[in-house]
Amino acid sequence: MTSVALLIVRPGQARAQSASRLRLQGVEVLTADALAGALQEHESAEPDVTALDLSLADVVDPASCARVREMLQCALIVIGDELAGNQAVEVLQAGADDYLPRPYSPLELAARIRALLRRVKEYSAGAQRRMEVGPLVIDTERHEVTVRGEAVELAPKEFELLLALASHPNELLSRQELLARVWGYDGSLSTRTLDVHIGRIRERIERDRTRPELILTVPRLGYKLAA
């Protein structure tokens, strides 16, 4: 299932660049120029993360965070003014999950949204003993994997790697993300280690490892698991 991010952010280059980055990583992005219409228009879309810009004219105060959380039931990152005293404390107390002061980098906004999406997915996955992604079935308690009804054996790191990909179906995970999640990457581990483990998993779950249908390579960026 594709993750959805809603950007209730002032239109301009920063929003466009953040949205472009997220879409490149497989995230569906919705945008809105004001809070008033966004809640009604996009409530049915059920976003996983919403970014709310406090500089919008109809965002009265940090208490707006509580209204957004109540209506959309999703993770929330607030963009505010770094000179506005205790604003960060106020919005976090009002229900926001993260705070980004202005001026901000579009890439940083995209990265923070991706971090929140990972947390949402991992929370959901942790609540599920059984995960199904396409022909794959993963039992997270027993550390068992079946593909097309047949059991396959994976080494512990291979299981962790497949689980990381399965937690974000159809989404690009960069090499750095995967190395950090599975190996606690500190900069000393060769990305060749990741490629070798991907190859081993493909040997077990793909019909033809030379023409993979499940674990797809995104050249120069990373991998994604097709749902």
Side-chain angles (χ1 to χ4, degrees), residues 45-63:
E46 298 183 348
D48 299 292
V49 174
T50 293
L52 177 64
D53 188 345
L54 290 185
S55 72
L56 296 175
D58 64 339
V59 180
V60 179
D61 54 44

Side-chain angles (χ1 to χ4, degrees):
M1 184 176 179
T2 302
S3 297
V4 179
L6 170 59
L7 308 184
I8 310 175
V9 177
R10 187 179 299 277
Q13 186 175 15
R15 187 179 80 178
Q17 290 179 354
S18 296
S20 176
R21 180 71 173 182
L22 289 166
R23 290 184 178 116
L24 181 64
Q25 295 175 325
V27 179
E28 180 183 350
V29 180
L30 309 173
T31 60
D33 300 344
L35 177 61
L39 296 181
Q40 288 75 26
E41 182 179 353
H42 296 300
E43 184 176 10
S44 61
E46 298 183 348
D48 299 292
V49 174
T50 293
L52 177 64
D53 188 345
L54 290 185
S55 72
L56 296 175
D58 64 339
V59 180
V60 179
D61 54 44
S64 301
C65 301
R67 186 154 60 102
V68 173
R69 285 295 298 266
E70 181 181 355
M71 292 192 67
L72 298 181
Q73 294 293 305
C74 66
L76 176 65
I77 178 171
V78 171
I79 300 169
D81 185 351
E82 66 177 350
L83 300 179
N86 293 325
Q87 188 179 76
V89 175
E90 292 174 0
V91 299
L92 292 170
Q93 289 178 339
D97 298 282
D98 196 3
Y99 179 85
L100 180 62
R102 193 184 299 101
Y104 64 90
S105 159
L107 294 183
E108 182 177 359
L109 175 59
R112 286 174 180 253
I113 289 173
R114 283 282 293 156
L116 283 175
L117 287 171
R118 284 196 298 272
R119 267 188 257 165
V120 170
K121 286 286 184 70
E122 287 162 4
Y123 178 84
S124 299
Q128 300 176 18
R129 172 180 167 179
R130 177 186 173 95
M131 295 177 63
E132 295 188 28
V133 182
L136 284 169
V137 178
I138 302 174
D139 188 317
T140 59
E141 287 189 4
R142 295 182 177 179
H143 279 227
E144 295 177 348
V145 177
T146 59
V147 57
R148 305 178 193 91
E150 296 186 7
V152 297
E153 292 189 10
L154 297 177
K157 286 298 183 187
E158 294 166 1
F159 182 88
E160 288 182 50
L161 181 54
L162 182 61
L163 184 60
L165 291 164
S167 298
H168 304 272
N170 293 323
E171 292 185 25
L172 166 67
L173 293 183
S174 71
R175 292 171 178 273
Q176 290 74 21
E177 286 180 275
L178 291 169
L179 287 167
R181 287 163 59 87
V182 179
W183 284 274
Y185 177 66
D186 61 2
S188 61
L189 192 66
S190 168
T191 57
R192 179 62 181 160
T193 300
L194 173 62
D195 297 335
V196 168
H197 280 73
I198 289 289
R200 289 174 181 166
I201 298 172
R202 282 173 169 163
E203 286 179 355
R204 293 163 173 79
I205 70 173
E206 300 283 2
R207 291 189 177 96
D208 181 353
R209 64 161 294 178
T210 64
R211 289 183 288 183
E213 301 172 335
L214 300 175
I215 299 180
L216 307 179
T217 300
V218 181
R220 298 183 300 278
L221 296 177
Y223 296 96
K224 65 180 177 180
L225 182 66

